[in-house]
Amino acid sequence: FDSFLEEEENNEIIGYIKSAELTESTLLRLGDICNDYSVSYHIEELPEKNWNEEWESSFLPVEIDDYCRIRASFHSRVDGYKHEIIIDPKMAFGTGHHETTFMMIQELSKHELSDKSVLDYGCGTGILAILCAQEGGHPIVAIDIEKDSVENTETNLKENNIGSVQVEKGDLEVVPSDQKYNFILANINRHVLLNNVEALYKLLQDQGRLIMSGILKQDRNIIQENYTAKWFDIVHESARGNWLCMTLSKKNP
């Protein structure tokens, strides 16, 4: 499945899958899940649509204080913001609409990024790397395991006239082990955060900051336990909706 949408009003979950992927084995597995949890399902084929047109009609610019305005290429420029970022997300995550990206940008606005090294871990659309480049960050490395995200990041870098960001496809293994960063940005999911505590610690400079989101409020305790038991101290925390953003520093050796 490509994505899911929870419809609380109807007590439903809508899953989207390419018709070619809806195989007999998938249907058998779906039937087993429904039997286990006493739920039912039905399949509906969607008509062909101009999804770009659909998206453009509903996509609105995002304004984060007077610090940053995020818009698509078909929106007009508006003055009065320190930064303007053009993002056409396509199949990648990160437009500023989601609470996690919004909080990451708010947190970055509080830090001096000029001439600071940055690792954007799970870069999505490249929105955070673009912002750091506009702030004068250098060097900046953006990585993502998804091909769509890497391609979209490269496209958005060109759209914003940014030529100083290195983009790589892969996980943390594509980052040189001897490289350390002033800032590591990880707007990513709980599973990835929990699996990479030590690796992120080793990549962060002693006076650096790890800024991370993608954390649901209900997962705060497990994130805190794993990150603060040995490796990091939490220096700032914010919440928006059901999501958290944490800024951490390395514990003294």
Side-chain angles (χ1 to χ4, degrees), residues 58-62 70 94-102 240:
S58 61
F59 185 91
L60 298 175
V62 178
I70 304 142
T95 62
H97 289 84
H98 196 275
E99 291 94 332
T100 59
T101 312
F102 192 101
R240 189 175 178 88

PDB file of all heavy atoms in Angstrom, residues 58-62 70 94-102 240:
ATOM      1  N   SER A  58      -5.633  22.315  -3.921  1.00  0.00           N
ATOM      2  CA  SER A  58      -5.777  22.210  -2.461  1.00  0.00           C
ATOM      3  C   SER A  58      -4.514  22.613  -1.696  1.00  0.00           C
ATOM      4  O   SER A  58      -4.543  22.776  -0.490  1.00  0.00           O
ATOM      5  CB  SER A  58      -6.149  20.776  -2.075  1.00  0.00           C
ATOM      6  OG  SER A  58      -5.135  19.865  -2.482  1.00  0.00           O
ATOM      7  N   PHE A  59      -3.396  22.771  -2.388  1.00  0.00           N
ATOM      8  CA  PHE A  59      -2.117  23.066  -1.749  1.00  0.00           C
ATOM      9  C   PHE A  59      -2.001  24.560  -1.466  1.00  0.00           C
ATOM     10  O   PHE A  59      -2.039  25.382  -2.382  1.00  0.00           O
ATOM     11  CB  PHE A  59      -0.966  22.611  -2.651  1.00  0.00           C
ATOM     12  CG  PHE A  59       0.391  22.768  -2.046  1.00  0.00           C
ATOM     13  CD1 PHE A  59       0.968  21.747  -1.321  1.00  0.00           C
ATOM     14  CD2 PHE A  59       1.102  23.950  -2.191  1.00  0.00           C
ATOM     15  CE1 PHE A  59       2.231  21.894  -0.766  1.00  0.00           C
ATOM     16  CE2 PHE A  59       2.358  24.109  -1.651  1.00  0.00           C
ATOM     17  CZ  PHE A  59       2.920  23.074  -0.921  1.00  0.00           C
ATOM     18  N   LEU A  60      -1.871  24.915  -0.207  1.00  0.00           N
ATOM     19  CA  LEU A  60      -1.748  26.317   0.192  1.00  0.00           C
ATOM     20  C   LEU A  60      -0.356  26.580   0.752  1.00  0.00           C
ATOM     21  O   LEU A  60       0.258  25.681   1.344  1.00  0.00           O
ATOM     22  CB  LEU A  60      -2.799  26.665   1.247  1.00  0.00           C
ATOM     23  CG  LEU A  60      -4.261  26.538   0.805  1.00  0.00           C
ATOM     24  CD1 LEU A  60      -5.187  26.803   1.983  1.00  0.00           C
ATOM     25  CD2 LEU A  60      -4.564  27.486  -0.339  1.00  0.00           C
ATOM     26  N   PRO A  61       0.162  27.794   0.608  1.00  0.00           N
ATOM     27  CA  PRO A  61       1.454  28.124   1.205  1.00  0.00           C
ATOM     28  C   PRO A  61       1.415  27.975   2.727  1.00  0.00           C
ATOM     29  O   PRO A  61       0.360  28.081   3.352  1.00  0.00           O
ATOM     30  CB  PRO A  61       1.663  29.589   0.801  1.00  0.00           C
ATOM     31  CG  PRO A  61       0.818  29.775  -0.399  1.00  0.00           C
ATOM     32  CD  PRO A  61      -0.381  28.906  -0.184  1.00  0.00           C
ATOM     33  N   VAL A  62       2.577  27.730   3.308  1.00  0.00           N
ATOM     34  CA  VAL A  62       2.727  27.616   4.761  1.00  0.00           C
ATOM     35  C   VAL A  62       3.581  28.782   5.246  1.00  0.00           C
ATOM     36  O   VAL A  62       4.658  29.030   4.689  1.00  0.00           O
ATOM     37  CB  VAL A  62       3.395  26.284   5.152  1.00  0.00           C
ATOM     38  CG1 VAL A  62       3.589  26.209   6.665  1.00  0.00           C
ATOM     39  CG2 VAL A  62       2.558  25.109   4.671  1.00  0.00           C
ATOM     40  N   ILE A  70       6.709  28.876   2.847  1.00  0.00           N
ATOM     41  CA  ILE A  70       6.915  27.753   1.949  1.00  0.00           C
ATOM     42  C   ILE A  70       5.781  27.750   0.942  1.00  0.00           C
ATOM     43  O   ILE A  70       4.604  27.786   1.325  1.00  0.00           O
ATOM     44  CB  ILE A  70       6.945  26.423   2.716  1.00  0.00           C
ATOM     45  CG1 ILE A  70       8.026  26.471   3.799  1.00  0.00           C
ATOM     46  CG2 ILE A  70       7.194  25.261   1.775  1.00  0.00           C
ATOM     47  CD1 ILE A  70       7.635  25.798   5.069  1.00  0.00           C
ATOM     48  N   GLY A  94       7.427  16.473   3.194  1.00  0.00           N
ATOM     49  CA  GLY A  94       8.044  17.684   3.705  1.00  0.00           C
ATOM     50  C   GLY A  94       7.632  18.939   2.982  1.00  0.00           C
ATOM     51  O   GLY A  94       8.351  19.424   2.122  1.00  0.00           O
ATOM     52  N   THR A  95       6.459  19.471   3.315  1.00  0.00           N
ATOM     53  CA  THR A  95       5.994  20.716   2.712  1.00  0.00           C
ATOM     54  C   THR A  95       5.815  21.812   3.749  1.00  0.00           C
ATOM     55  O   THR A  95       5.500  22.946   3.394  1.00  0.00           O
ATOM     56  CB  THR A  95       4.649  20.513   1.995  1.00  0.00           C
ATOM     57  OG1 THR A  95       3.665  20.109   2.961  1.00  0.00           O
ATOM     58  CG2 THR A  95       4.762  19.462   0.903  1.00  0.00           C
ATOM     59  N   GLY A  96       5.976  21.462   5.025  1.00  0.00           N
ATOM     60  CA  GLY A  96       5.722  22.420   6.095  1.00  0.00           C
ATOM     61  C   GLY A  96       4.310  22.331   6.637  1.00  0.00           C
ATOM     62  O   GLY A  96       4.015  22.878   7.688  1.00  0.00           O
ATOM     63  N   HIS A  97       3.424  21.647   5.926  1.00  0.00           N
ATOM     64  CA  HIS A  97       2.051  21.521   6.395  1.00  0.00           C
ATOM     65  C   HIS A  97       1.962  20.606   7.623  1.00  0.00           C
ATOM     66  O   HIS A  97       1.151  20.834   8.507  1.00  0.00           O
ATOM     67  CB  HIS A  97       1.149  20.962   5.288  1.00  0.00           C
ATOM     68  CG  HIS A  97       0.902  21.924   4.174  1.00  0.00           C
ATOM     69  ND1 HIS A  97       1.786  22.079   3.129  1.00  0.00           N
ATOM     70  CD2 HIS A  97      -0.120  22.788   3.946  1.00  0.00           C
ATOM     71  CE1 HIS A  97       1.307  22.996   2.291  1.00  0.00           C
ATOM     72  NE2 HIS A  97       0.159  23.443   2.760  1.00  0.00           N
ATOM     73  N   HIS A  98       2.783  19.579   7.646  1.00  0.00           N
ATOM     74  CA  HIS A  98       2.721  18.645   8.772  1.00  0.00           C
ATOM     75  C   HIS A  98       3.353  19.270  10.008  1.00  0.00           C
ATOM     76  O   HIS A  98       4.324  20.021   9.934  1.00  0.00           O
ATOM     77  CB  HIS A  98       3.431  17.333   8.418  1.00  0.00           C
ATOM     78  CG  HIS A  98       3.086  16.209   9.340  1.00  0.00           C
ATOM     79  ND1 HIS A  98       3.738  15.998  10.532  1.00  0.00           N
ATOM     80  CD2 HIS A  98       2.133  15.250   9.264  1.00  0.00           C
ATOM     81  CE1 HIS A  98       3.217  14.940  11.132  1.00  0.00           C
ATOM     82  NE2 HIS A  98       2.230  14.472  10.374  1.00  0.00           N
ATOM     83  N   GLU A  99       2.799  18.927  11.164  1.00  0.00           N
ATOM     84  CA  GLU A  99       3.268  19.513  12.426  1.00  0.00           C
ATOM     85  C   GLU A  99       4.763  19.309  12.649  1.00  0.00           C
ATOM     86  O   GLU A  99       5.452  20.182  13.184  1.00  0.00           O
ATOM     87  CB  GLU A  99       2.499  18.903  13.607  1.00  0.00           C
ATOM     88  CG  GLU A  99       1.032  19.299  13.684  1.00  0.00           C
ATOM     89  CD  GLU A  99       0.118  18.298  13.004  1.00  0.00           C
ATOM     90  OE1 GLU A  99       0.581  17.615  12.059  1.00  0.00           O
ATOM     91  OE2 GLU A  99      -1.058  18.194  13.414  1.00  0.00           O
ATOM     92  N   THR A 100       5.283  18.149  12.243  1.00  0.00           N
ATOM     93  CA  THR A 100       6.688  17.847  12.521  1.00  0.00           C
ATOM     94  C   THR A 100       7.628  18.768  11.734  1.00  0.00           C
ATOM     95  O   THR A 100       8.588  19.303  12.287  1.00  0.00           O
ATOM     96  CB  THR A 100       6.994  16.373  12.196  1.00  0.00           C
ATOM     97  OG1 THR A 100       6.700  16.115  10.823  1.00  0.00           O
ATOM     98  CG2 THR A 100       6.160  15.452  13.060  1.00  0.00           C
ATOM     99  N   THR A 101       7.345  18.944  10.438  1.00  0.00           N
ATOM    100  CA  THR A 101       8.182  19.840   9.629  1.00  0.00           C
ATOM    101  C   THR A 101       8.061  21.277  10.118  1.00  0.00           C
ATOM    102  O   THR A 101       9.057  22.010  10.184  1.00  0.00           O
ATOM    103  CB  THR A 101       7.770  19.755   8.150  1.00  0.00           C
ATOM    104  OG1 THR A 101       7.673  18.390   7.754  1.00  0.00           O
ATOM    105  CG2 THR A 101       8.789  20.467   7.273  1.00  0.00           C
ATOM    106  N   PHE A 102       6.857  21.685  10.458  1.00  0.00           N
ATOM    107  CA  PHE A 102       6.609  23.033  10.984  1.00  0.00           C
ATOM    108  C   PHE A 102       7.480  23.286  12.218  1.00  0.00           C
ATOM    109  O   PHE A 102       8.155  24.314  12.329  1.00  0.00           O
ATOM    110  CB  PHE A 102       5.126  23.168  11.334  1.00  0.00           C
ATOM    111  CG  PHE A 102       4.670  24.575  11.608  1.00  0.00           C
ATOM    112  CD1 PHE A 102       3.997  25.301  10.634  1.00  0.00           C
ATOM    113  CD2 PHE A 102       4.884  25.170  12.842  1.00  0.00           C
ATOM    114  CE1 PHE A 102       3.562  26.599  10.891  1.00  0.00           C
ATOM    115  CE2 PHE A 102       4.452  26.462  13.113  1.00  0.00           C
ATOM    116  CZ  PHE A 102       3.792  27.180  12.128  1.00  0.00           C
ATOM    117  N   ARG A 240       3.133  20.157  18.964  1.00  0.00           N
ATOM    118  CA  ARG A 240       2.141  20.717  18.059  1.00  0.00           C
ATOM    119  C   ARG A 240       1.205  19.574  17.664  1.00  0.00           C
ATOM    120  O   ARG A 240       1.635  18.579  17.097  1.00  0.00           O
ATOM    121  CB  ARG A 240       2.816  21.329  16.824  1.00  0.00           C
ATOM    122  CG  ARG A 240       1.866  22.137  15.926  1.00  0.00           C
ATOM    123  CD  ARG A 240       2.673  22.802  14.805  1.00  0.00           C
ATOM    124  NE  ARG A 240       1.817  23.542  13.892  1.00  0.00           N
ATOM    125  CZ  ARG A 240       1.450  24.812  14.057  1.00  0.00           C
ATOM    126  NH1 ARG A 240       1.886  25.492  15.117  1.00  0.00           N
ATOM    127  NH2 ARG A 240       0.671  25.414  13.178  1.00  0.00           N
TER     128      ARG A 240
END
